[in-house]
Amino acid sequence: MGHKFISQRKQKKEDMFDALVKNAIDFLDSSLDDLDKRPKNSIVDFYSSIELFLKARLMSEHWTLIISRPELASIDSFQVGDFHSVFLDDAIKRMKNILNSPIPQKAIDVFKALGEHRNQIVHFAHTNYQNINATKVSVVVEQWCAWHYLHELIVTSWAPVFDDYLEEITRIHNRMMRQKEFIAIRFAEISPQIEIKRKSGSEVEVCSHCKMNAAVVAKKNHWGNDYECMVCGVTDTSIKNTEATLPCKSCGKDFQFFDKKLTNCPHCDLVIDDDYLSEACREKYSEGDGWCDDGEWVAYCHACHCDERSVFYIDGLWSCISCFDRGWQAVSCPNCDEFVTGDMDTIKYFACVRCEDDVRAGIAENGI
Ligand SMILES: [Zn+2]
Ligand SMILES: [Zn+2]
Ligand SMILES: [Zn+2]
Ligand SMILES: [Zn+2]
């Protein structure tokens, strides 16, 4: 009897979580559907989706965390119809204080700005959104930026929670990336400002997010440059490329191999596949960085979840020959002892890419 009761309760919580996430994904779809004809609805739906993803993330920890506590409501924000952002504020606080998994400040700023616009659209005539052309461009750019941070959270630090939905998330991501023409308009609008930055000595490079030549370098690191993109507003790090080469085992000539698009030797057309790269890299990059002890020196990649070891120490950076991401740390997981890349805190306090399924199953079994 007792057992039955527990499994029913569990099922119910899982259903609720599933409904929350599906709802969040629906809002993203309708937000994209509305972009052309109803850009204001688009921003309202997009913001709802951010809140739902946050709720789902909190709920995966404990269901009570999504219930807003009335004593925290303020009369001031209530009067301006601002109670939705109270939820956002609360969720952000709970992520930090209860889950010990703070949301990056830049993401918070972008989510809050979008929340303010959402409230202004819902409650007041929002002057910035009167002109329909300006509307679409600013809406797309704002959502583009917010999506960058939401997507980043969902596929990295929140990935264990949303693993079952990653296919849908990828579909949404591809839809979002197709809104290119708005980005191009925005780029044309701010080109004079970019030019001024250049003339005053700033370095401008291609933004890896919107692919526009509008990323103003803020800081140079040995692994790449920190930048802020003037088009899409994203701050990120452009990971330094490598021109490292491997010798072709057919024609003997060297070729640059760290390239997603490479399929054949550029000299003799020999097919270069994952197995070829892996074998050749094991030979050429036969040790890790100075932190590696004896034993395995090729790491599993947390960025692409490749089932084979795919991260080699190439040109001074850990580099994955499956997804061609670089610059992460590689460590031995204290939980399962596998050699992996990833965020140090996540590995230490939760799990690594190799043991996260087991750790999650353990948590589900023991209840929270
Ligand atoms: Zn950009
Ligand atoms: Zn060749
Ligand atoms: Zn990878
Ligand atoms: Zn592990």
Side-chain angles (χ1 to χ4, degrees):
M1 279 298 281
H3 178 76
K4 199 177 170 200
F5 178 66
I6 287 166
S7 69
Q8 269 172 357
R9 270 174 59 94
K10 242 184 204 166
Q11 187 53 45
K12 213 176 164 194
K13 267 189 268 174
E14 280 161 15
D15 284 349
M16 279 175 66
F17 175 79
D18 185 56
L20 264 184
V21 180
K22 282 185 176 152
N23 212 352
I25 292 168
D26 281 349
F27 270 119
L28 287 176
D29 269 317
S30 61
S31 167
L32 283 159
D33 293 342
D34 277 343
L35 215 44
D36 270 339
K37 292 204 175 73
R38 294 176 292 269
K40 290 179 188 177
N41 300 47
S42 179
I43 226 167
V44 171
D45 283 355
F46 195 93
Y47 183 74
S48 300
S49 178
I50 293 178
E51 280 200 339
L52 285 167
F53 272 114
L54 270 162
K55 279 191 202 182
R57 175 63 191 91
L58 288 171
M59 191 180 171
S60 73
E61 204 72 21
H62 198 275
W63 63 274
T64 52
L65 290 176
I66 70 169
I67 296 171
S68 135
R69 285 154 55 200
E71 67 268 27
L72 290 183
S74 107
I75 189 73
D76 285 341
S77 39
F78 184 70
Q79 277 171 336
V80 292
D82 201 11
F83 42 84
H84 278 269
S85 53
V86 171
F87 178 78
L88 183 72
D89 282 345
D90 258 1
I92 288 166
K93 275 185 209 136
R94 288 172 192 191
M95 287 298 302
K96 181 166 180 261
N97 300 335
I98 304 177
L99 273 65
N100 191 24
S101 175
I103 295 172
Q105 189 56 45
K106 179 73 207 255
I108 294 175
D109 294 344
V110 170
F111 293 166
K112 282 190 177 173
L114 197 73
E116 264 164 45
H117 285 158
R118 178 246 173 238
N119 287 347
Q120 286 168 335
I121 288 166
V122 171
H123 302 287
F124 307 105
H126 187 208
T127 46
N128 287 350
Y129 291 106
Q130 294 308 316
N131 175 310
I132 192 72
N133 287 324
T135 299
K136 278 189 218 165
V137 173
S138 40
V139 167
V140 175
V141 170
E142 193 160 4
Q143 294 188 0
W144 187 282
C145 189
W147 174 249
H148 171 77
Y149 291 103
L150 184 63
H151 182 249
E152 189 80 359
L153 285 165
I154 293 171
V155 299
T156 59
S157 54
W158 297 355
V161 175
F162 295 108
D163 216 23
D164 292 344
Y165 306 90
L166 286 186
E167 207 173 300
E168 280 288 275
I169 296 299
T170 304
R171 183 183 60 75
I172 296 281
H173 188 61
N174 291 338
R175 275 197 80 182
M176 204 65 84
M177 294 299 121
R178 282 199 290 270
Q179 310 302 320
K180 278 270 169 197
E181 69 257 50
F182 297 106
I183 296 299
I185 296 170
R186 170 84 178 146
F187 179 68
E189 271 176 9
I190 63 158
S191 282
Q193 283 155 264
I194 298 173
E195 209 37 52
I196 290 170
K197 283 271 179 195
R198 254 204 205 96
K199 282 192 176 133
S200 65
S202 292
E203 251 179 73
V204 181
E205 53 184 47
V206 174
C207 168
S208 63
H209 189 57
C210 70
K211 307 287 187 272
M212 291 292 155
N213 201 347
V216 178
V217 175
K219 185 169 172 253
K220 293 189 163 195
N221 314 295
H222 80 269
W223 59 86
N225 296 336
D226 294 342
Y227 67 79
E228 172 152 13
C229 176
M230 290 180 72
V231 166
C232 69
V234 162
T235 55
D236 205 346
T237 304
S238 61
I239 297 300
K240 197 178 281 170
N241 227 328
T242 172
E243 289 171 3
T245 58
L246 289 171
C248 171
K249 69 179 173 193
S250 169
C251 69
K253 290 180 185 158
D254 287 345
F255 64 93
Q256 287 187 20
F257 67 94
F258 202 76
D259 177 359
K260 223 177 264 189
K261 294 182 201 109
L262 182 84
T263 53
N264 300 75
C265 168
H267 310 293
C268 72
D269 225 30
L270 177 77
V271 173
I272 309 290
D273 59 12
D274 288 356
D275 290 342
Y276 182 99
L277 275 187
S278 177
E279 203 179 296
C281 283
R282 269 194 181 264
E283 224 163 87
K284 178 158 183 188
Y285 302 102
S286 56
E287 50 189 39
D289 60 11
W291 297 86
C292 285
D293 297 328
D294 295 343
E296 189 56 62
W297 76 96
V298 189
Y300 286 105
C301 177
H302 77 296
C304 66
H305 291 234
C306 180
D307 283 332
E308 307 289 331
R309 296 173 185 275
S310 58
V311 189
F312 293 83
Y313 192 64
I314 299 170
D315 249 7
L317 290 180
W318 289 98
S319 315
C320 174
I321 57 163
S322 169
C323 66
F324 299 92
D325 198 1
R326 316 180 74 205
W328 294 91
Q329 288 295 340
V331 292
S332 294
C333 171
N335 188 35
C336 70
D337 223 29
E338 290 286 7
F339 192 50
V340 294
T341 61
D343 174 74
M344 296 284 288
D345 280 345
T346 308
I347 294 172
K348 194 168 162 197
Y349 295 112
F350 176 64
C352 78
V353 60
R354 300 301 288 176
C355 64
E356 63 185 10
D357 286 344
D358 293 341
V359 169
R360 227 177 305 135
I363 292 170
E365 212 161 88
N366 297 324
I368 300 169

